[in-house]
Amino acid sequence: MGRGRARGQTRGDSPPGSNAVPGQPGSSTQHINVVPGASGSSTGNRRGRGRGRGRPPHDISETELAPALSQLTVRGVRERGVRATREDNPGRSNQQTIQCGPPPGEPVSLHTNYLKLVKSNGLQVYEYSVEINPEIDNIRKKMGMMYNGIEELKDKIIYKNHILYTFLDTIGDEKEYHVISRARDGTETNHTIKIKRTQEVQKDGVLFSNVFFNFIAERIQNWKRIRRDYFDPTAMKPFPRFHVEIMPGYQFRVGDFEAGPLMSIDTKYRVLRTITVLTYIQELVKNRGKLETAQTDIIRELTGRVVMTRYNNKSYKIDDVLFHMRACDEIELRPGYRISSVDYYRNRYNIELRDPEQIMLLSRKKQRDSNGEEKEVKIHLVPEVCYLTGFSNQESSNPRAPMFKEIAKVTHSDPTDKVKTLTNFASTINESPISERWGLNIEPSLLQLEGGSISNEAPIIGLNNSKFRVERGRFDSMTRKRFVLSTAKIGDNCHIVCHEKDLQLALQMVEPGCRFANAAGIDITFRREHIIQVKSQRAEEFIRAGSRLNSKVILFVLPNEKEDRYNAIKKYFCVEQPQITQVVLARTLKNPNGIASKITKILMQMDVKAGGKLWRVDLPTKNTMFVGIDTNHDVMRKRSSVGGFVASMDQDLTRYYSRVFQHDHSSEEVFSGLQPLMKDALNEYHKLNNNCYPRRIVVLRDGVGYGQMELVRNLEIEAIKRAMSELHIQEDELIFTVVSKRINTRFFMNHGTNYRNPFQGTIVNNTVTRCDEAFDFFIVSQSVGQGTVSPTHYTVLEWRTTLRPEDLQRICFRLCHMYFNWTGIISVPAPCQYAHKLAFLVGQSLNNMEPAPQLRHNLFYL
């Protein structure tokens, strides 16, 4: 119980309330005076540290959640040759033990970005609960009192959220201190600080290790915490040409893994603008003429973005733009006290705002008050002192821009440089006097483990069973041959709609397009008389022209990437008048470089949307339906989240049944209403496969965080089981796997005295895997030309099958070859990517409206 209580009390730096009643006097009493506003550390007084820099309540790391989830799910049992043992779920008839041998394929030796913890002395660490009466809401003042105000504890404690850790064994079970604090107006307050021992803690345990190393980063190294990462503001790398600075940092976390408690460590970079948000707003206003007409652009560009205030190095998420409020308007800072932002910054930070009429920004944050109650705090931000981080949507849409190329030289470090940076981090931590004093260090070198490589086991199969090798993650070479398995036979039943200025570009699709289509084996013929020209660039003109056509596929050549026009076209032809459409920008056809490859890929998209089969891979399973699920969140427009659901309808995974589902809120990820969708998909499979249901169902769920695993099991997996039960399908062949691609785990291979990325198809199923689910594994699916490759993590939540774990590992890798929008390997299995594309189209372009039923058997969303 002590461990669980402490875990709950150490999430974030916002002070949870103290519900404790002042207890009996301690065995000793000490009277101390505290300088007002002082904040301390074990190395002395550091100004400005510890003022509410905790991560928000929702920002919880996977390592913190794993032990808590273990009380809800079943803990793994570490045995030689036995990866995990799970007790029965409700409805299970017996206990299931999953045996995992070595990774499949050729053995390969790897390093990973995990470090072992080392205890260098025998000091015991004690945990104490802390009661301060009267309570202090000001975090900075409280931290100063605890670190600098009590002489006996100075340089010998770590304090976080009413929990104190120390290696002192002279305090006893309980002790009381009396401290005097002084406010700015000279008012003195007497505080009673009572500490009571709760338990002895393991120095290398997950809970204390995270608190300890975070303490070193924030208070000893003076790194700045932004959400869960730590950055070094003294190591800024400027890019004056682009008005950008890069702040390097680290993300590290200790967690329980198969090899025991380990620290995962990865490099992070924060992009920080050198121009203020006010300047950015002024540029948007200048483009539109006046503020009133620029409001839509301002909301679109700023809402959801993260800004940093340099005067205190804090970050905030912009939730709203307050056009009705000005910096000169008074705001209620606390009950009974109002002040304008102009006066506040002048008095508090000695900053003179130049524009008192500038509009204001709003950030909402949840935190706990002194009574332990969670409340929403509204933080008003002044654009003049805020700096944008990251990139805008427009900038991100052009990754080949010179700015990204220059920045990538810093952020996309190769494996050798990455390993060097990580080992430097270990040296920095170990050289800290705090590490030596407390006796807790980390290994100076990265952890080694064994993996397996199946990179050459999945050739692409085309027409007449011709096989194509995958080279560096790509198989573009097959497009130079007649490779298509089965064409949709569009013939000349296709049209092109373009603006009259783009007629010559559309004509490129006629003669060259037909030639390239014939070479690839795609039955599609463009005719000059099937090119429809419009005189206006308005979306209504393109829609009107397309709606009059009786065509199997319509190709729209758009003059530019105006989002409203694209959305209007897609919405009309996906919802109101179901029609397969393909959209291409005029600039794509203007550039003569690689025009053959561009046109071929446009033809491939059109063919597969109309029902063509481009290629396939061999899978070690038959009569299996693969289901992909993903969710799209519209943060900018705050609409309800949209989920994409796709299910394969044939053995080659070239036909899918696609549906969408609506969440109740914009931030929901897990969906409880899967039962009717799953039932419909099974019935469709039954119709298309000689009245037979699938023998096996494999669900690949993308987009779920580690903290939602139990919710997924209780809602989504149970809904799928109910659908199977309704149709009298046995549940003995059901696999449910969560796919996570945004992870920090990295793997490296020795390359002489340097390091290189692992081969595509490298699998790891040991050492850095977890034991709190059936089993899990990593796959390096792709090959990258720059930087360090990111593996994908697979966590199996439901395992009722006669397959072996290595079969699933091979299947997942081979499914990464089956995404028809890319002649190469992608990072996740194709059903996941199809579900993502479907949810994204509906959420971003169709205004959350479900596509017409006539399109459910087409990959119209590619």
Side-chain angles (χ1 to χ4, degrees), residues 435-500:
S435 294
E436 181 179 355
R437 187 180 307 150
W438 287 71
L440 183 59
N441 303 88
I442 51 179
E443 285 281 0
S445 57
L446 301 185
L447 186 67
Q448 296 187 47
L449 47 78
E450 293 297 318
S453 177
I454 57 172
S455 57
N456 297 320
E457 291 188 12
I460 303 300
I461 301 175
L463 184 65
N464 297 325
N465 286 324
S466 55
K467 297 183 178 181
F468 302 90
R469 290 182 60 85
V470 181
E471 301 290 343
R472 296 183 179 180
R474 303 291 299 272
F475 39 91
D476 300 284
S477 59
M478 76 174 188
T479 61
R480 306 186 189 103
K481 301 178 181 179
R482 196 175 184 87
F483 70 94
V484 175
L485 281 175
S486 175
T487 181
K489 297 182 179 180
I490 299 172
D492 63 355
N493 191 14
C494 57
H495 291 77
I496 301 175
V497 178
C498 67
H499 189 263
E500 58 185 4

Side-chain angles (χ1 to χ4, degrees), residues 824-842:
I825 309 175
I826 61 175
S827 61
V828 297
C832 289
Q833 188 65 11
Y834 288 136
H836 166 75
K837 293 288 286 187
L838 173 61
F840 184 83
L841 175 68
V842 175

